[in-house]
Amino acid sequence: MPLTLEQIRSDVAECLGEDPADIPLDENLVDYGLDSVRVMALLERWRHEHAVQADFADLAERPAIEAWAPLLGVA
């Protein structure tokens, strides 16, 4: 099953204990409490469930859902 923008948002929100509607697509997720440990956990989950090939460094460089989408194979 391919990863979608809404799935990324939902997974990030779950990781942060927030409602997905409260997680913006275009803002820095560090400002919402996302840290490197959580980014790694999300990346491992997506690698396992969706065969994502992205690197941690790429996600950490621009921690926003819109920036992640192309890196995670979301069209």
Side-chain angles (χ1 to χ4, degrees), residues 38-50 59:
R38 289 181 171 129
V39 173
M40 279 301 298
L42 287 166
L43 184 54
E44 287 305 314
R45 177 179 181 174
W46 295 330
R47 284 177 175 161
H48 177 74
E49 295 177 4
H50 303 284
L59 299 185

Side-chain angles (χ1 to χ4, degrees), residues 6 9-14 17-25 65:
E6 285 309 309
R9 182 186 232 170
S10 176
D11 290 348
V12 168
E14 179 184 320
E18 300 287 341
D19 187 288
D22 294 333
I23 304 297
L25 296 177
I65 294 172

Side-chain angles (χ1 to χ4, degrees), residues 10 13-14 16 18 23 26-27 31-32 35-36 44 51-52 54 56 58-59 67 70-71 74-75:
S10 176
E14 179 184 320
L16 296 174
E18 300 287 341
I23 304 297
D26 61 347
E27 290 186 33
D31 295 340
Y32 290 80
D35 58 24
S36 59
E44 287 305 314
V52 162
F56 169 78
D58 294 330
L59 299 185
L71 300 172
V74 177

